Amino acid sequence: MKYFVIILCSIYMFVSCKSSDDKIEGMLSEYVKNIVKNPNSVDIHKFQVYDKVYNSKAGMFLWEKSKNNTITEKSDYITFLFSAKNSDGIEIFREASVYFDKAKKTFKSSYPENIDIENGNISGTCKYYFGNLITNWQIRNYNNDANVTIMNIDTLGGRKKYITTVQNGTYQVNKIIPGYYFFKLINYNINLENVYGNYGNKKNYYMLSEIQKIMNFHRIYGSIPYGYSDKKLFDETLKKLNKYAEESNDTEFFDNDVNDIWKDFKKSVNHKFLDDFEIEYDYRYLNEFDEILIESSTPTNHDVYIKNFFY
């Protein structure tokens, strides 16, 4: 009898949990079906419920994963992964979050706001500005012939790269699957060693700041999907750069200082990051790295204005 009761309890817990999962999947599925053009193709792959809980130590409300991944009065939002076929018949995977309307017991909004899966497009103007704050010497120009690479962050549907060049100061890419992307612009015609060479012993100070910029991009954005080969080396290298940045730009740095820092950076990051971004000596050329959101069915504008002013 004892074992029979245990078995019955186990069955009850399984069915209860499964029905709760089914209910949440059903709610998410209905929400997405009202948005996409092929509602019958919607599939919810996974989800996570987050509760809003008051933390007495912090003295504020914080968000934490629901212990049983079920909806309760504390639930605030759900993150989930879904797929559906767009109007071209291509299965698209997207991650999104939906927020509860507790009064109506439904979802009131999503993040991103637009979670449709139809193709979008992106365009923008690309300019660069170099200036000396003392002499007022300036170069303002269109960033023509720069290479633009747009690469998806979420690779569940496979790696996608969109490549174009800047012509007449602008670029455009059409028919892009919506979602979050890495954005890289680099112009191999503008050698920063030559530009900064006008500043004598300050040249390498500015070259180190270019490496610092790329490392901070990896720290903030690239490290999440790619990770590190040597996190300790990465942190030590970036710490050196941060220390250099606090020093006067009259401090003299040598070519070997720059080369050693760059080598340590490349050793410290995952080589997949270097391969995907095709990074060789990017710090030597005019560049910009960013993260962007490309919306569905609507034009996305992403202008690139690179401004460097020197003393």
Side-chain angles (χ1 to χ4, degrees), residues 56-245:
S56 57
K57 290 184 178 179
M60 64 179 71
F61 281 96
L62 299 176
W63 288 263
E64 58 185 41
K65 290 182 179 180
S66 169
K67 292 180 181 179
N68 297 315
N69 208 19
T70 56
I71 297 174
T72 68
E73 69 280 358
K74 296 179 181 179
S75 301
D76 194 54
Y77 69 95
I78 299 177
T79 61
F80 68 105
L81 170 67
F82 75 93
S83 66
K85 290 182 179 180
N86 64 14
S87 56
D88 294 329
I90 300 172
E91 186 177 29
I92 306 299
F93 289 80
R94 288 204 73 176
E95 288 186 314
S97 298
V98 285
Y99 297 87
F100 289 110
D101 184 335
K102 293 179 181 178
K104 297 180 180 179
K105 296 182 180 180
T106 185
F107 302 126
K108 61 182 178 181
S109 61
S110 67
Y111 181 83
E113 184 177 349
N114 182 354
I115 62 171
D116 197 0
I117 56 172
E118 296 303 312
N119 290 327
N121 59 69
I122 184 171
S123 61
T125 300
C126 300
K127 294 182 180 181
Y128 65 90
Y129 299 78
F130 292 141
N132 187 309
L133 295 177
I134 297 176
T135 64
N136 291 322
W137 169 79
Q138 292 186 9
I139 297 176
R140 301 187 180 189
N141 225 329
Y142 286 120
N143 205 343
N144 286 332
D145 299 321
N147 297 328
V148 172
T149 301
I150 299 170
M151 185 169 59
N152 58 325
I153 296 175
D154 183 356
T155 58
L156 289 167
R159 170 65 70 205
K160 296 175 181 63
K161 270 188 182 183
Y162 304 88
I163 300 172
T164 189
T165 56
V166 178
Q167 300 294 333
N168 299 317
T170 62
Y171 73 94
Q172 182 166 338
V173 181
N174 297 321
K175 296 199 75 172
I176 300 182
I177 293 170
Y180 284 96
Y181 284 80
F182 290 126
F183 179 96
K184 174 187 173 181
L185 177 144
I186 188 163
N187 194 330
Y188 293 108
N189 295 323
I190 303 177
N191 188 311
L192 296 178
E193 289 184 311
N194 295 336
V195 174
Y196 298 149
N198 296 318
Y199 296 93
N201 65 356
K202 297 179 183 180
K203 180 196 80 170
N204 286 322
Y205 176 86
Y206 295 124
M207 297 306 297
L208 289 168
S209 70
E210 291 293 327
I211 299 176
Q212 182 186 35
K213 181 179 72 173
I214 294 173
M215 289 191 70
N216 276 323
F217 168 79
H218 183 277
R219 177 180 62 84
I220 298 169
Y221 300 114
S223 63
I224 298 171
Y226 287 101
Y228 301 88
S229 290
D230 189 334
K231 177 72 161 56
K232 183 179 179 182
L233 177 60
F234 183 94
D235 291 341
E236 289 174 350
T237 304
L238 188 57
K239 187 176 180 180
K240 284 182 187 177
L241 287 172
N242 292 337
K243 182 181 178 182
Y244 295 160

Side-chain angles (χ1 to χ4, degrees), residues 245-294:
E246 293 172 358
E247 297 179 14
S248 166
N249 59 16
D250 290 327
T251 302
E252 185 172 1
F253 297 99
F254 299 95
D255 290 346
N256 285 340
D257 296 325
V258 178
N259 293 336
D260 289 344
I261 287 287
W262 184 248
K263 286 178 183 177
D264 286 343
F265 161 65
K266 293 181 73 175
K267 285 180 185 176
S268 68
V269 297
N270 189 317
H271 282 273
K272 190 76 167 60
F273 171 80
L274 302 175
D275 293 341
D276 283 351
F277 281 86
E278 300 179 12
I279 290 177
E280 288 294 335
Y281 295 97
D282 290 23
Y283 73 96
R284 295 179 180 175
Y285 304 96
L286 192 68
N287 69 80
E288 181 75 7
F289 291 79
D290 207 349
E291 182 191 71
I292 58 174
L293 171 63
I294 295 179

Side-chain angles (χ1 to χ4, degrees), residues 295-306:
E295 297 281 9
S296 169
S297 306
T298 56
T300 298
N301 180 261
H302 183 71
D303 296 327
V304 181
Y305 297 109
I306 302 175

